[in-house]
Amino acid sequence: MQGVIDFDEISSQTLTNLNPDFIALCGDASGGMLALNQRIHREGFYCQAIRNMNIFSLPYYCDAMKCQQPWIMQKWVECLDPKN
């Protein structure tokens, strides 16, 4: 999936190049926030998602979770809906 990056790959260069509208932390959201926070403080960068505080903890999805796809996708839609 385009734009998916591992915690170890989070860098100012990666986020500057991608300039995401939002950041979805799937799985270990605490670990993701810690990694992101460390990079921000160490490298002092901001992308659109960080400036707008569009960082979300969302359920992970893969083919093995096909039976939960409707629920997972609904949670993504609810979270990313600008009306919410």
Side-chain angles (χ1 to χ4, degrees):
M1 181 187 299
Q2 184 181 7
V4 173
I5 53 177
D6 192 72
F7 289 158
D8 296 332
E9 298 172 11
I10 295 174
S11 70
S12 60
Q13 190 62 43
T14 303
L15 291 176
T16 299
N17 290 344
L18 292 172
N19 196 26
D21 295 334
F22 71 94
I23 297 172
L25 301 170
C26 301
D28 182 5
S30 297
M33 279 303 297
L34 181 61
L36 190 58
N37 190 39
Q38 288 172 344
R39 268 52 167 219
I40 290 169
H41 287 288
R42 185 173 58 234
E43 300 173 25
F45 68 91
Y46 295 93
C47 63
Q48 184 174 333
I50 294 170
R51 279 193 303 275
N52 295 332
M53 297 175 60
N54 287 333
I55 304 171
F56 307 99
S57 174
L58 294 171
Y60 177 74
Y61 175 74
C62 66
D63 285 341
M65 302 175 76
K66 207 75 139 163
C67 64
Q68 293 182 356
Q69 182 185 19
W71 178 83
I72 292 170
M73 293 298 109
Q74 182 61 39
K75 293 302 170 194
W76 277 69
V77 168
E78 288 172 8
C79 184
L80 300 175
D81 183 348
K83 298 177 203 161
N84 289 336

